[in-house]
Amino acid sequence: MTHAAPPRALALGLLWLWLASTPAQAAPPISDAERLNAPVPAEFERPQVIIYPLLDQRPLATGGGAVSPAPAWAQLIASLSARANLKVRSPDGSVEAIRRRAGYARALRLARTTARRGTEDYQRARLERAARDLGAAVDAMRELEHDVVDPDEVGRLILLRGQALLEAGDRDGALRSFRAALTIQPGLRLVPGTDSPAAVAALDAVRSELAADPPLPQTFRLVPARLKSDRHILRARIVGDTLEVSLQSVGGLRVERQALSAPDAGDRLASRVWACLPFGRTPIKRRHHRRWLVDAGFNYTAFVNSSVVDLFSNVGVGVNASLLAAPHLTLDANVALTNSNRDPNEDLREDISTVRVFAGPGFTWTAGPFRAGANAGFDLATLSDVVTTRNAACKHFSAADAHPLCNHERDINRSGRAWRAGPALALSAAVHLVDDIYLTLRVRGGLLLYESVDNGLGPPLTSQLNLGYAFD
């Protein structure tokens, strides 16, 4: 007898089949605006924008009178600082970074000492010496970027140098100094009735000239030689009713301007500056971490195809160091110290001590706890004296016994110390036991391309069983 499926169970089954057969809806595409404004990860590499203090050149036109603050400048800084992909250093931070430079304070003290000497020379009417010392002090301060930290101090020293040059009869040099002083600090003025009338008139003439065509400081044009690729220097000045920004990068210089009359002038200018900058990137994660593998253990070596003695064993210790330089690349170095025992017929009369060094790159392959590799490199070895004999009597009697059946000079062969070198191939297999501890077996064979002494021993075949540790 058959039973009909309950209506509820049948409905649920049909619903499940419908859901399983319905293709999943693709996620809606992300717009460029959403990508640009999305939060960036903590490790994101942000371009650094170093903002220098504002140069307000409006006092050139006002004759030194007060000027209204420019909210657009503060708005520009705030807007750039709010960009999540940028690392912004404020003007105050830039000034403080200059002050913290190595040697800044000491060099500034020396420059100020020179400036005081120049000022004293000017007061004593030693005009040429005053101009020379003041010029040296200003050059040192500008090299330190002290004109950014304290433009009023540097500007007044340049102004004083101009006065010394003017009184010494060098009017052209004086005018150049007045121009440089007003470029650094546009609000500088001389006091009529206190300062020389000729100097006051010359400075006013230069100011009037600059008011018509405000100069762009040289530092705005030159990209610093030490500027890194991820750093960008932003300098700004106010000219009339315009906020002008110079953005210096390794690739060159870009200038953007915005009228101060716009209510959102700072935000507009910040958006254009932001568009000029690289967005930054997530750091590329290395797929491979370099690791060191160091192991030590027992070494066994045999010389195959020997013409002077049958096969015999060489046992000792060996140390191996491997650098996993890339996912499948290793650089290996191996040192082994071994000592021989006797061959079955005891034709070998003295132990042979051997020091062997191997180095070479190789390929490695890893699967779970197992690792296998092959290295091709160069093998260098030194062997002690090989002493052999085929005379049975010489195996039982020494030279002091003077046995008539054994002539030690004739029947005993000595090769002397030998040096050997040649290419070698090493194969290895390892298993990780626990944490970073592993057990490895290595087998290495090689050919002889050079030997200083022909001792009759064939090419070496080496095996090594080591216990090791892996670390970063």
Side-chain angles (χ1 to χ4, degrees):
M1 180 177 180
T2 59
H3 298 277
R8 182 178 180 183
L10 181 60
L12 290 175
L14 292 174
L15 177 61
W16 182 85
L17 290 174
W18 179 77
L19 291 175
S21 62
T22 302
Q25 296 294 326
I30 301 176
S31 66
D32 290 341
E34 290 174 324
R35 291 179 186 275
L36 291 175
N37 292 287
V40 296
E43 67 276 10
F44 189 81
E45 293 182 356
R46 297 167 171 82
Q48 185 175 13
V49 181
I50 302 172
I51 303 178
Y52 273 64
L54 175 68
L55 174 63
D56 193 341
Q57 294 184 315
R58 289 178 295 177
L60 292 173
T62 62
V67 294
S68 61
W73 173 239
Q75 193 179 57
L76 170 69
I77 298 173
S79 182
L80 287 175
S81 301
R83 305 284 181 173
N85 69 301
L86 299 181
K87 182 179 180 182
V88 177
R89 180 191 290 174
S90 68
D92 291 341
S94 298
V95 169
E96 187 60 29
I98 294 173
R99 285 177 172 154
R100 290 199 306 267
R101 288 175 184 168
Y104 171 83
R106 181 175 181 274
L108 181 59
R109 286 196 299 270
L110 294 175
R112 282 173 171 168
T113 299
T114 305
R116 284 194 296 271
R117 187 168 61 245
T119 302
E120 293 173 359
D121 288 335
Y122 175 74
Q123 293 171 349
R124 296 175 182 178
R126 295 194 286 258
L127 301 177
E128 292 182 0
R129 289 178 55 181
R132 184 179 63 250
D133 289 342
L134 290 170
V138 168
D139 290 342
M141 289 182 179
R142 299 189 73 168
E143 183 69 22
L144 295 171
E145 287 193 297
H146 187 62
D147 54 325
V148 176
V149 176
D150 194 343
D152 190 68
E153 179 182 7
V154 179
R156 290 193 177 280
L157 289 176
I158 301 175
L159 188 61
L160 185 60
R161 181 175 184 270
Q163 292 176 264
L165 290 172
L166 186 64
E167 294 178 24
D170 185 0
R171 181 175 177 80
D172 290 339
L175 295 179
R176 287 194 297 270
S177 291
F178 291 160
R179 182 183 181 90
L182 291 173
T183 301
I184 292 176
Q185 180 55 283
L188 289 175
R189 297 294 181 270
L190 293 175
V191 181
T194 300
D195 295 307
S196 166
V200 173
L203 182 63
D204 285 342
V206 171
R207 180 189 59 77
S208 299
E209 177 188 344
L210 295 181
D213 184 17
L216 183 68
Q218 184 70 13
T219 54
F220 280 46
R221 303 187 185 96
L222 299 178
V223 177
R226 301 186 301 270
L227 191 61
K228 297 181 180 179
S229 60
D230 62 339
R231 293 187 179 182
H232 310 269
I233 295 179
L234 189 148
R235 300 178 186 267
R237 65 171 182 162
I238 296 179
V239 186
D241 188 41
T242 303
L243 177 60
E244 181 181 280
V245 168
S246 297
L247 184 65
Q248 294 175 316
S249 305
V250 171
L253 175 70
R254 186 179 181 93
V255 179
E256 295 289 340
R257 298 178 179 86
Q258 179 63 50
L260 294 174
S261 56
D264 55 349
D267 285 335
R268 290 186 182 184
L269 194 54
S271 297
R272 295 205 297 273
V273 169
W274 183 63
C276 299
L277 295 167
F279 190 78
R281 63 184 179 89
T282 302
I284 300 174
K285 295 182 178 179
R286 293 175 57 183
R287 297 181 180 180
H288 174 77
H289 294 284
R290 292 185 177 182
R291 303 203 77 194
W292 283 96
L293 307 175
V294 179
D295 50 76
F298 299 101
N299 185 286
Y300 177 87
T301 301
F303 295 95
V304 297
N305 295 329
S306 176
S307 61
V308 297
V309 65
D310 293 336
L311 189 67
F312 64 97
S313 301
N314 293 260
V315 295
V317 295
V319 178
N320 193 88
S322 299
L323 171 62
L324 294 177
H328 297 291
L329 175 66
T330 63
L331 302 175
D332 281 36
N334 185 285
V335 179
L337 175 62
T338 60
N339 198 52
S340 72
N341 56 11
R342 296 292 184 269
D343 61 295
N345 295 323
E346 297 191 5
D347 293 341
L348 186 63
R349 303 311 304 155
E350 294 182 7
D351 294 345
I352 301 175
S353 60
T354 304
V355 178
R356 177 166 282 103
V357 177
F358 168 82
F363 176 84
T364 185
W365 173 80
T366 303
F370 301 101
R371 186 179 72 253
N375 292 78
F378 200 76
D379 191 278
L380 176 66
T382 178
L383 290 75
S384 63
D385 192 11
V386 178
V387 182
T388 60
T389 184
R390 299 283 184 171
N391 190 319
C394 292
K395 299 176 184 179
H396 299 283
F397 300 99
S398 65
D401 295 331
H403 195 278
L405 297 180
C406 174
N407 185 331
H408 279 265
E409 294 183 0
R410 181 189 61 199
D411 297 329
I412 295 182
N413 301 314
R414 294 181 176 273
S415 67
R417 175 169 292 278
W419 289 89
R420 292 178 154 199
L425 176 65
L427 303 177
S428 63
V431 57
H432 283 264
L433 303 177
V434 59
D435 295 333
D436 292 321
I437 299 175
Y438 63 92
L439 183 68
T440 182
L441 173 66
R442 290 185 178 85
V443 179
R444 185 172 76 246
L447 300 175
L448 296 180
L449 293 184
Y450 167 80
E451 54 181 347
S452 61
V453 174
D454 184 6
N455 53 21
L457 300 181
L461 182 64
T462 300
S463 62
Q464 195 167 309
L465 182 66
N466 286 5
L467 190 65
Y469 184 78
F471 59 92
D472 295 328

